[in-house]
Amino acid sequence: LIANNGMAATKAILSMRQWAYLQFGSESVLQFVAMATPDDLDANAEFIRLADTYVEVPGGKNVNNYANVPLIIELAKKYGADAVWPGWGHASENPKLPDGLAKAGLIFIGPTSPVMSVLGDKIAANILAQTAGVNSIPWSGDGLKAELTAEGTIPDEIFQKGLINTLEEAVECANRIGYPVMLKASEGGGGKGIRMSANEEELAANYPQVLAEVPGSPVFMMQLCTGARHIEVQIVGDMHGNAVALNGRDCSTQRRFQKIFEEGPPSIVPKDTFTEMERAAQRLTQSIG
């Protein structure tokens, strides 16, 4: 079952059909069921034509369709799917999807829910990165290291040490790591819950704004890395703990902290530097299973 649409679904089907042909000599070894909204059907979307069959799902917001975990699980069982591919966005980072599929005896093509949860949290991810020996810029959790618990989480007493709980703590941390700083809500995203402060006066004004934009979210602080580029490493891993870096991309072209487009490979990064980035990403991935 392809629990996504557009380019994500199109590339998934084409790539897996090509792999099936190269491995088994036949593209039809794998059968694909696509989820299609009325808008997708009206547009005669390519991924619908590529799939072996499709099922119409409600339109509107993605909580009605591609982010609707109960619906995805129900359709996977109804159509006899062996596995679900969520792509990116939508339900792909919702731990409830792999958990629900596992209970139904189905395969989730993606990370386990504990891995998804811990890396989906910016504070926990930074602590795990430090534990795996990945270089980090100064932040409120400098030096913190931790091993995952049996539940796949960071021990709470260590997690709490990386937080900013009051304005006084924010000022103290900023003085330690040096201005300018970025104050972030760990559950924020899309430009929400993130503010840059060049001095204590700006920090005092930005702190309540961050809290208000993402209510209830833990907050942390990092030194602002000026003149930097946003470089990502793409990793693929298996259920046996193996991981390999495929390549990377430059996502530096942004507006309001959101990527506009991505360039790959990231040719601006020196080869030796990017090789070390890939190795660091592999260490982090393997350290969390």
Side-chain angles (χ1 to χ4, degrees):
L1 177 69
I2 304 296
N4 211 307
N5 66 342
M7 183 58 68
T10 300
K11 292 178 72 173
I13 295 173
L14 288 173
S15 296
M16 285 190 266
R17 286 203 190 284
Q18 181 182 37
W19 174 83
Y21 179 79
L22 293 174
Q23 290 293 316
F24 306 110
S26 173
E27 293 184 350
S28 61
V29 171
L30 300 176
Q31 302 290 304
F32 297 96
V33 178
M35 295 171 59
T37 66
D39 287 342
D40 294 323
L41 293 168
D42 289 343
N44 192 27
E46 184 177 8
F47 77 93
I48 299 174
R49 292 184 280 110
L50 290 172
D52 296 284
T53 186
Y54 73 87
V55 54
E56 185 172 353
V57 294
K61 296 180 179 180
N62 68 353
V63 293
N64 299 330
N65 39 71
Y66 304 109
N68 188 331
V69 171
L71 176 63
I72 293 171
I73 296 172
E74 177 189 338
L75 292 177
K77 293 191 292 186
K78 179 179 179 180
Y79 284 84
D82 298 294
V84 171
W85 186 83
W88 54 84
H90 302 308
S92 65
E93 296 181 24
N94 187 339
K96 294 180 180 178
L97 182 55
D99 280 347
L101 289 172
K103 291 176 182 177
L106 302 174
I107 295 170
F108 174 77
I109 304 178
T112 62
S113 58
V115 169
M116 193 182 292
S117 296
V118 76
L119 283 188
D121 183 282
K122 299 177 180 68
I123 298 169
N126 273 291
I127 294 173
L128 287 175
Q130 290 178 161
T131 305
V134 179
N135 292 331
S136 300
I137 60 176
W139 70 296
S140 53
D142 273 345
L144 293 178
K145 295 183 179 182
E147 299 297 330
L148 293 178
T149 65
E151 294 75 31
T153 61
I154 293 286
D156 188 61
E157 64 273 14
I158 297 177
F159 182 86
Q160 292 296 324
K161 292 179 180 179
L163 305 188
I164 298 292
N165 295 303
T166 65
L167 176 57
E168 290 71 26
E169 289 183 6
V171 171
E172 181 183 348
C173 181
N175 289 333
R176 177 177 64 82
I177 66 178
Y179 289 97
V181 296
M182 289 295 268
L183 194 63
K184 299 182 180 182
S186 67
E187 296 173 5
K192 290 186 178 181
I194 180 171
R195 286 290 185 279
M196 186 276 284
S197 302
N199 52 56
E200 186 173 331
E201 183 180 356
E202 291 183 7
L203 181 58
N206 288 331
Y207 182 73
Q209 291 186 28
V210 170
L211 297 182
E213 288 182 3
V214 191
S217 171
V219 174
F220 69 110
M221 180 185 291
M222 303 189 86
Q223 187 182 70
L224 176 63
C225 192
T226 58
R229 300 190 74 89
H230 180 148
I231 307 297
E232 297 182 357
V233 177
Q234 293 173 296
I235 293 285
V236 63
D238 62 22
M239 61 190 297
H240 306 292
N242 301 305
V244 62
L246 299 179
N247 210 301
R249 52 197 179 189
D250 186 342
C251 311
S252 302
T253 305
Q254 301 185 10
R255 180 175 180 269
R256 295 179 180 175
F257 305 112
Q258 289 186 290
K259 293 175 283 188
I260 296 176
F261 60 83
E262 301 168 347
E263 302 175 65
S267 56
I268 195 167
V269 185
K271 185 175 181 180
D272 291 346
T273 301
F274 191 71
T275 298
E276 180 50 39
M277 290 174 64
E278 289 181 311
R279 290 172 179 168
Q282 287 178 223
R283 289 198 303 273
L284 174 57
T285 305
Q286 290 176 310
S287 72
I288 58 175

